[in-house]
């Protein structure tokens, strides 16, 4: 378990603060967002990496000359928010072109895309490479559905080297994309990790077994197997990777044997002693292999093997010098005369935090009090259910759904207190939820509230009809952005039936106060019915079989929130 912490909610932020202090010669902190290279050269394509906390040194530890220019870090196992990503880019000098590199997780994709749109509107050429190296998370031929795990470190290294060599964003994107296409990872876990402040691990590993095909967010593996010797484990790891050898592979490969947080270096070296001859037997020549902890999962015991099939260009980039706190190679990269090192080790001031739409007005309308009361009721309901939602999420996810919902709702309630008219209040609450809640649910709930605000902006009178139409518009936006349909085992399985029922009842003349509880009861029923479904999207998809029998936590929390609002609206027409 995690033994050293203060307030568990602040664990990731305190990790970031400690890292920036200890390695001030490398990085400057961007408060509550991430770090940037303290020796960043001007005029180059910026490579910015990111993801949730709990994986140190990934990805903040890879910031420095020859690798990343910045890293964004969310809460433990939770994607950073779009606002955090924006803050890190604005802390970089001369960031005219930026390549984002991050793991292929729904929350990360949503938040990085939102940040990209905002930066592009300000003239920044932004592009993304989503790492998809985990062979256990989707079958061959469906590589775009795979998640990014330890092989991302190899992709980051190659992207950073391409940028350091002076490549424009097109060349850097191409090199990183090719590295990702040729990188494969397979991992195993011997025990689960435990969140700071919790007593029990995310899942149980039966005695004498271990988990094959694990993720890095506390999820169990895709299947269990009997414990085996180091030699047998080496054969399993190598065997899973060589299955997907490209037809044009030269045989030379970058290799990373990675520990997950609680596996000793001695054990990893014993394992490597079995891996090396198997690689040779398979006709694979390791090029400067790396053995150690690079992408961890708190205190999880386990390891993963990554392999990137190199061509001449990728090999040169893999061999290029790099100087970061977690990864160093070759002669130290010396800052040029153009390097702005005057602020090394000092926190970088945040750019102004902005929310969509006009500035907050001191005026108010009748609807705003109802929205504030609704958010408060939602927060009360989710806080009471936080542990239950976390346990539900841990079946096939990382167990943080309850924490993330509570954190996001608390931020939304706080933002609503200082907002005026209903449209402005909803946009401010949505922006706060997205920023503090982060993750997939944070992004989608933030979008839901802000889209309602946009739909109500032109309304002079906000009544039940206007509100129901605004919710319907917002639900369509959520489905469009999240790409979820009914039956995918997501929050949409509760939200879409709710909206349909609400619109139908309102169309028949039923007052909002009577239509809402009827629709929310249907949402609760449909949320519970997701227990029989197999997830087709999101982090739970690779563990679809384990998920069957347990409701989707996003659908359940959606139904909880909708039901909590019913008493607030009981007298509304």
């Amino acid at each position: 378990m995690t033994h050293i912490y203060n307030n568990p909610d602040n664990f990731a932020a305190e990790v970031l603060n400690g890292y920036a202090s200890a390695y001030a010669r490398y990085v400057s902190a961007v408060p509550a967002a991430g770090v940037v290279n303290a020796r960043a050269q001007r005029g180059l394509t910026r490579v910015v990496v990111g993801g949730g906390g709990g994986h140190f040194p990934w990805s903040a530890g890879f910031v420095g000359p020859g690798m990343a220019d910045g890293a964004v870090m969310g809460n433990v196992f939770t994607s950073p928010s779009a606002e955090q990503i924006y803050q890190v880019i604005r802390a970089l000098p001369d960031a005219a072109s930026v390549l984002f590199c991050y793991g292929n997780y729904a929350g990360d994709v949503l938040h990085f895309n939102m940040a990209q749109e905002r930066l592009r509107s300000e003239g920044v050429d932004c592009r993304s490479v989503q790492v998809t190296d985990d062979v256990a998370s989707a079958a061959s031929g469906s590589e775009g559905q795979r998640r990014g795990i330890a092989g991302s470190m190899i992709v980051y290294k190659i992207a950073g080297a391409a940028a350091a060599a002076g490549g424009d964003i097109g060349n850097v994107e191409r090199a990183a994309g090719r590295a990702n296409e040729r990188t494969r990872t397979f991992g195993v876990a011997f025990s689960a990790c435990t969140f700071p402040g919790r007593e029990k691990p995310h899942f149980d590993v039966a005695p004498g077994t271990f988990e094959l095909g694990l993720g890095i967010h506390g999820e169990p593996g895709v299947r269990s197997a009997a414990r085996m010797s180091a030699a047998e484990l080496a054969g399993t790891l190598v065997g899973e990777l060589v299955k997907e050898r490209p037809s044009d592979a030269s045989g030379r490969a970058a290799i990373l044997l990675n520990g997950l947080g609680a596996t000793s270096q001695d054990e990893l070296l014993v394992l490597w002693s079995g891996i090396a001859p198997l690689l040779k037997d398979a006709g694979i020549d390791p090029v400067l292999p790396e053995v150690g902890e690079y992408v961890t999962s708190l205190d999880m015991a386990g390891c993963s093997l990554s392999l990137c099939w190199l061509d001449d260009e990728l090999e040169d980039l893999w061999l290029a010098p790099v100087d970061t706190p977690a990864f160093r190679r070759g002669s130290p990269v010396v800052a040029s005369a153009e390097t702005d090192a005057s602020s090394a080790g000092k926190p970088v001031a945040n750019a102004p935090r902005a929310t969509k739409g006009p500035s907050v007005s001191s005026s108010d309308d009748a609807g705003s009090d109802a929205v504030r009361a609704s958010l408060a009721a939602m927060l009360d309901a989710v806080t009471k259910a936080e542990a239950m939602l976390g346990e539900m999420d841990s079946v096939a996810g990382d167990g943080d759904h309850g924490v993330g919902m509570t954190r996001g709702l608390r931020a939304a309630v706080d933002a609503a207190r200082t907002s005026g008219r209903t449209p402005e209040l909803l946009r401010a609450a949505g922006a706060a939820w997205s920023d503090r809640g982060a993750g997939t649910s944070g992004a989608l709930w933030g979008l839901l509230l802000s889209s309602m605000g946009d739909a109500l902006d032109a309304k002079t009178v906000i009544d039940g009809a206007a509100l129901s139409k605004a919710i319907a518009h917002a639900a369509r936006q959520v489905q469009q952005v999240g790409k979820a349909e009914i039956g995918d085992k997501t929050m949409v399985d509760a939200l879409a039936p709710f909206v349909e029922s609400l619109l139908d009842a309102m169309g028949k003349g039923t007052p909002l106060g009577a239509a809402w509880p009827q629709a929310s009861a249907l949402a609760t029923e449909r949320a519970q019915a997701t227990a029989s479904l197999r997830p087709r999207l999101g982090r739970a998809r690779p563990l679809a079989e384990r998920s069957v029998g347990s409701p989707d936590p996003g659908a359940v929390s959606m139904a909880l929130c909708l039901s909590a609002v019913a008493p607030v609206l009981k007298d509304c027409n």
Side-chain angles (χ1 to χ4, degrees), residues 170-406:
N171 284 328
V172 177
E173 179 186 27
R174 180 186 53 77
R178 183 157 176 78
N180 179 55
E181 291 169 1
R182 299 173 75 84
T183 300
R184 301 288 187 270
T185 300
F186 187 77
V188 299
F190 312 121
S191 69
C193 63
T194 305
F195 261 62
R198 296 188 188 173
E199 297 296 324
K200 298 195 306 183
H202 277 346
F203 60 91
D204 294 321
V205 178
T209 69
F210 69 123
E211 297 284 305
L212 291 163
L214 78 156
I216 58 169
H217 296 93
E219 316 98 317
V222 296
R223 65 184 189 272
S224 299
R227 284 288 184 103
M228 56 183 69
S229 68
E232 291 170 319
L233 178 56
T236 297
L237 294 173
V238 173
E240 291 289 339
L241 301 186
V242 298
K243 289 177 183 176
E244 298 191 17
R245 179 173 184 151
S247 59
D248 63 345
S250 67
R252 293 175 67 75
I255 308 290
L256 176 72
L257 179 57
N258 174 67
L260 285 161
T263 302
S264 70
Q265 186 77 1
D266 296 283
E267 293 172 281
L268 292 176
L269 292 171
V270 168
L271 183 57
W272 177 255
S273 71
I275 289 172
L278 292 176
L279 293 173
K280 182 179 179 181
D281 291 345
I284 301 170
D285 181 13
V287 179
L288 292 189
E290 297 289 338
V291 178
E293 289 189 338
Y294 296 96
V295 182
T296 61
S297 185
L298 291 174
D299 61 332
M300 180 179 279
C303 61
S304 62
L305 182 67
S306 301
L307 183 155
C308 176
W309 303 96
L310 300 172
D311 56 23
D312 289 345
E313 179 189 24
L314 294 181
E315 183 168 347
D316 287 343
L317 295 172
W318 175 243
L319 295 173
V322 60
D323 187 20
T324 74
F327 186 39
R328 298 165 190 163
R329 171 173 291 168
S331 301
V333 180
V334 180
S336 73
E338 292 183 337
T339 298
D340 181 8
S342 60
S343 61
K346 300 178 182 177
V348 179
N350 283 26
R353 288 186 174 248
T355 57
K356 185 178 178 182
S359 58
V360 172
S361 167
S362 60
S363 63
D364 204 347
D365 58 52
S368 61
D369 286 340
V371 173
R372 291 189 188 95
S374 296
L375 289 170
M378 290 162 61
L379 175 59
D380 182 61
V382 169
T383 300
K384 291 175 181 175
E386 181 179 313
M388 179 268 290
L389 291 171
E391 290 177 7
M392 194 178 297
D393 189 34
S394 68
V395 171
D398 56 14
D400 72 339
H401 184 68
V403 173
M405 285 289 294
T406 303

Side-chain angles (χ1 to χ4, degrees), residues 443-453 470-471 474-475 478 491 495 558:
L444 294 178
W445 269 101
L447 176 64
L448 186 71
L449 295 185
S450 60
S451 295
M452 287 178 60
I471 294 171
V478 166
M491 64 164 62
L495 177 60
M558 172 63 72

Side-chain angles (χ1 to χ4, degrees), residues 411-507:
V413 167
D414 289 343
R417 290 195 184 105
T418 57
S419 301
R421 295 179 59 251
T422 298
E424 296 162 2
L425 185 157
L426 285 166
R427 284 195 288 263
W433 192 331
S434 179
D435 186 26
R436 290 290 298 131
T440 306
S441 62
L444 294 178
W445 269 101
L447 176 64
L448 186 71
L449 295 185
S450 60
S451 295
M452 287 178 60
D454 292 343
L456 293 171
D457 213 6
K459 302 292 183 181
T460 54
V461 176
I462 298 176
D463 55 13
L467 183 60
S468 61
K469 290 177 182 177
I471 294 171
H473 165 76
R476 288 193 297 271
Q477 294 297 109
V478 166
Q479 285 192 254
Q480 181 179 344
V481 171
K483 298 180 173 59
E485 302 291 340
I486 292 177
D488 285 342
K489 198 164 187 175
T490 70
M491 64 164 62
V492 169
D493 288 301
L495 177 60
F498 168 85
V499 170
E500 183 179 358
S501 174
L502 185 69
L503 290 177
D504 181 64
M506 296 289 292

